[in-house]
């Protein structure tokens, strides 16, 4: 560079040194880019000073690329970015990863090529960093209005153990720092199945002290929403697997005969079990006593529970069986706790259809249950849930209670009408 400055631009051309000058400019631009993007010891995030340096380096590199008839500059850029910068930037932080990807796009490196390089870096990252990148990359793609690369969708499905029929791409567009989608049920067969569930489990002749007003004679499903919540699904499966292992060790009964002989009959809401196999790709785990159960609530709570989770801080410690999450097998029982909202001139009520892992069930047929004792059994001893048999003691309904929100996954919101 010093020699070329001494020679001067006028003589560079006459001496045939233009190629040398371009090569030096290219090297200088690459060095500026490398220094701007490469994380330094003690760096937190991607500071403003490095942002300005990167902006200047990108402009210099763009100038070098504009006069690159043989493609030497872009080849050198690929090596610098993909082999020299992607790994340290992705390893350092989300901010550094974002800076290097933005620089690659501003320098017009092909999108597919950039994400292929990102995949290679992802594969070489430690598990914790991979988990962080599974959050960062979808958010980053959303900010650019770009589709999430197919390899990342596959990684997300594997990381969260998502069912095959869940649309990961739509889940990633939720706008929140989570994979979440709430999709209207379009299949008339599934809606008909839900409607049959309501009609079959209705018991209008039974009334408890929790019923406000007159009891509906029948119920009709109007619409439903499928819930695809990756975080909740992942934690649910982890807890279900733990419970299944414990049930195997304890040799816990789970077949229909065991339910009939020990727990006063099979679960009524499981009438949909066989038909649901056509609509869910992750079957119920019978050895963990995983069941389809019902939970009535308000429209706002239905939205909150399916977006976040069951909030155990809201569990009422004064409930008959203590502070847990309560489920029913009959719509008539679940309906005692719902609140309605008017839609298109009709009042609709929300019902959560949940997968609930009951595990080792503690059967309680006491008229005055020991709340603290039940809680202690399920949180500190070998039981996982309580079956409160008010059908036996009072002629009303059986209730199913878990004291760990990870044992329930709200899979659908069914909106229904009451018929008097």
């Amino acid at each position: 560079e010093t020699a070329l400055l001494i020679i001067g631009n006028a003589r560079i051309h006459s001496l045939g040194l233009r190629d040398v000058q371009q090569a030096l400019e290219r090297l200088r631009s690459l060095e500026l880019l490398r220094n701007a993007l490469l994380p330094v010891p003690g760096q937190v995030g991607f500071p403003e000073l490095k942002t300005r340096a990167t902006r200047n380096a990108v402009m210099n590199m763009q100038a070098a690329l504009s006069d690159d008839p043989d493609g030497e500059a872009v080849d050198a850029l690929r090596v610098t970015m993909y082999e020299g910068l992607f790994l340290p930037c992705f390893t350092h932080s989300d901010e550094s990863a974002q800076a290097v990807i933005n620089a690659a796009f501003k320098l017009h490196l092909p999108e597919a090529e950039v994400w292929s390089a990102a995949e290679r870096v992802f594969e070489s990252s430690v598990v914790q960093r991979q988990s962080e990148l599974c959050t960062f990359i979808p958010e980053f793609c959303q900010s650019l209005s770009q589709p999430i690369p197919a390899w990342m969708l596959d990684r997300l499905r594997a990381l969260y153990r998502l069912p095959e029929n869940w649309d990961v791409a739509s889940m990633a567009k939720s706008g929140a720092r989570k994979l979440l989608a709430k999709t209207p049920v379009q299949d008339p067969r599934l809606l008909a199945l839900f409607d049959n569930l309501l009609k079959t489990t209705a018991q209008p002749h039974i009334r408890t002290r929790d019923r406000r007003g007159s009891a509906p004679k029948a119920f009709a499903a109007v619409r439903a929403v499928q819930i695809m919540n990756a975080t909740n699904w992942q934690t649910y499966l982890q807890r279900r697997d733990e419970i299944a292992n414990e049930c195997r060790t304890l040799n816990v009964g789970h077949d229909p005969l065991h339910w009939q002989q020990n727990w006063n009959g099979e679960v009524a809401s499981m009438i949909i079990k066989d038909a649901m196999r056509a609509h869910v790709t992750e079957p119920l785990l019978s050895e963990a006593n995983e069941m389809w159960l019902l939970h009535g609530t308000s429209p706002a709570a239905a939205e909150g529970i399916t977006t976040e989770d069951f909030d155990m801080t809201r569990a009422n410690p004064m409930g008959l069986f203590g502070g847990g999450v309560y489920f029913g097998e009959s719509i008539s029982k679940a309906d005692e706790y719902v609140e309605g909202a008017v839609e298109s001139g009709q009042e609709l009520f929300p019902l959560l259809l949940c997968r609930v892992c009951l595990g080792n069930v503690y059967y309680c047929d006491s008229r005055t249950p020991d709340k603290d004792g039940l809680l202690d059994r399920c949180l500190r001893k070998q039981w996982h849930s309580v079956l409160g048999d008010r059908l036996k003691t009072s002629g009303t309904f059986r209730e199913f209670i878990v004291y760990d929100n990870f044992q329930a996954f709200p899979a659908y919101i069914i909106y229904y009408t009451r018929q008097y």
Side-chain angles (χ1 to χ4, degrees):
E1 284 184 311
T2 302
L4 290 178
L5 286 172
I6 294 172
I7 293 172
N9 285 330
R11 298 184 64 192
I12 285 175
H13 288 283
S14 63
L15 293 173
L17 297 175
R18 178 59 179 159
D19 289 345
V20 176
Q21 184 183 44
Q22 288 179 329
L24 287 171
E25 289 174 350
R26 181 169 65 247
L27 289 173
R28 182 174 179 275
S29 297
L30 290 170
E31 188 64 20
L32 284 173
L33 189 64
R34 185 182 296 108
N35 290 338
L37 287 169
L38 197 64
V40 297
Q43 177 180 319
V44 177
F46 200 78
E48 178 60 30
L49 186 62
K50 289 187 76 67
T51 299
R52 292 199 297 267
T54 300
R55 189 160 52 242
N56 179 65
V58 167
M59 287 190 294
N60 274 274
M61 195 68 230
Q62 287 171 335
L65 292 172
S66 66
D67 188 11
D68 183 36
D70 298 326
E72 293 182 2
V74 73
D75 288 343
L77 174 63
R78 285 189 170 100
V79 172
T80 298
M81 294 292 281
Y82 301 150
E83 299 181 16
L85 289 172
F86 263 51
L87 179 58
C89 288
F90 270 71
T91 302
H92 178 262
S93 65
D94 291 350
E95 292 83 1
S96 291
Q98 179 173 328
V100 76
I101 296 175
N102 275 332
F105 287 149
K106 288 177 181 177
L107 293 169
H108 303 294
L109 291 176
E111 181 180 319
E113 189 178 280
V114 170
W115 288 121
S116 179
E119 180 182 10
R120 292 193 296 273
V121 172
F122 181 94
E123 295 289 351
S124 65
S125 299
V126 297
V127 173
Q128 177 60 36
R129 186 60 184 140
Q130 286 185 348
S131 179
E132 294 167 353
L133 290 171
C134 281
T135 298
F136 160 69
I137 290 177
E139 289 182 347
F140 180 65
C141 290
Q142 184 177 354
S143 71
L144 298 178
S145 298
Q146 285 190 4
I148 299 172
W151 63 266
M152 175 51 68
L153 295 178
D154 292 338
R155 283 292 174 174
L156 291 170
R157 187 179 297 281
L159 174 67
Y160 291 99
R161 298 170 60 187
L162 302 180
E164 294 178 5
N165 61 342
W166 282 20
D167 185 352
V168 185
S170 67
M171 294 169 68
K173 296 177 182 178
S174 64
R177 288 186 63 85
K178 60 172 57 185
L179 288 172
L180 172 68
K182 300 182 182 183
T183 307
V185 170
Q186 304 290 349
D187 189 338
R189 296 171 301 172
L190 184 55
L191 192 59
L193 180 62
F194 293 157
D195 187 62
N196 184 60
L197 170 66
L198 303 189
K199 288 177 169 51
T200 302
T201 64
Q203 295 174 285
H205 59 285
I206 299 177
R207 183 185 183 89
T208 77
R209 62 185 179 183
D210 292 331
R211 168 66 65 185
R212 293 166 293 178
S214 57
K217 293 181 179 179
F219 309 85
V222 174
R223 65 182 181 90
V225 176
Q226 183 182 10
I227 307 303
M228 294 176 280
N229 187 321
T231 301
N232 290 2
W233 177 252
Q234 181 186 47
T235 55
Y236 174 73
L237 286 187
Q238 289 173 347
R239 183 66 184 124
R240 189 189 70 169
D241 291 348
E242 293 170 357
I243 289 175
N245 288 332
E246 292 169 12
C247 287
R248 294 185 195 106
T249 301
L250 295 169
N251 195 27
V252 172
H254 57 81
D255 58 86
L257 182 61
H258 183 86
W259 276 84
Q260 292 167 3
Q261 293 180 343
N262 296 275
W263 297 329
N264 200 14
E266 297 180 62
V267 177
S269 50
M270 286 290 283
I271 189 175
I272 65 172
K273 180 185 68 172
D274 292 337
M276 284 297 289
R277 290 174 181 161
H279 305 281
V280 295
T281 56
E282 177 69 23
L284 296 179
L285 195 58
S286 61
E287 60 188 328
N289 280 311
E290 185 180 12
M291 303 288 169
W292 288 111
L293 292 171
L294 312 177
H295 182 86
T297 188
S298 67
E303 284 299 316
I305 291 169
T306 53
T307 299
E308 300 299 332
D309 202 348
F310 287 100
D311 184 357
M312 295 307 296
T313 64
R314 294 177 176 271
N316 182 10
M318 301 307 294
L320 184 62
F321 301 97
V325 184
Y326 287 61
F327 298 92
E329 58 186 328
S330 167
I331 177 58
S332 295
K333 180 58 178 174
D335 181 71
E336 293 181 341
Y337 309 101
V338 300
E339 295 178 14
V342 176
E343 295 183 18
S344 302
Q346 64 178 346
E347 188 174 23
L348 298 183
F349 301 87
L351 174 72
L352 298 182
L353 177 61
C354 303
R355 300 174 71 129
V356 184
C357 187
L358 297 176
N360 189 16
V361 179
Y362 182 82
Y363 179 75
C364 178
D365 58 356
S366 170
R367 293 188 63 86
T368 56
D370 176 9
K371 300 179 179 66
D372 293 337
L374 295 176
L375 185 65
D376 184 67
R377 283 183 174 89
C378 291
L379 295 184
R380 298 173 184 86
K381 297 182 181 178
Q382 72 266 33
W383 290 278
H384 304 111
S385 65
V386 168
L387 192 167
D389 196 352
R390 305 302 284 178
L391 173 61
K392 177 180 178 180
T393 62
S394 306
T396 57
F397 302 99
R398 294 190 300 178
E399 296 185 70
F400 306 82
I401 306 93
V402 297
Y403 303 90
D404 178 356
N405 57 299
F406 288 172
Q407 287 178 231
F409 178 78
Y412 295 90
I413 309 175
I414 302 171
Y415 292 92
Y416 66 89
T417 57
R418 290 169 168 170
Q419 300 169 8
Y420 293 94

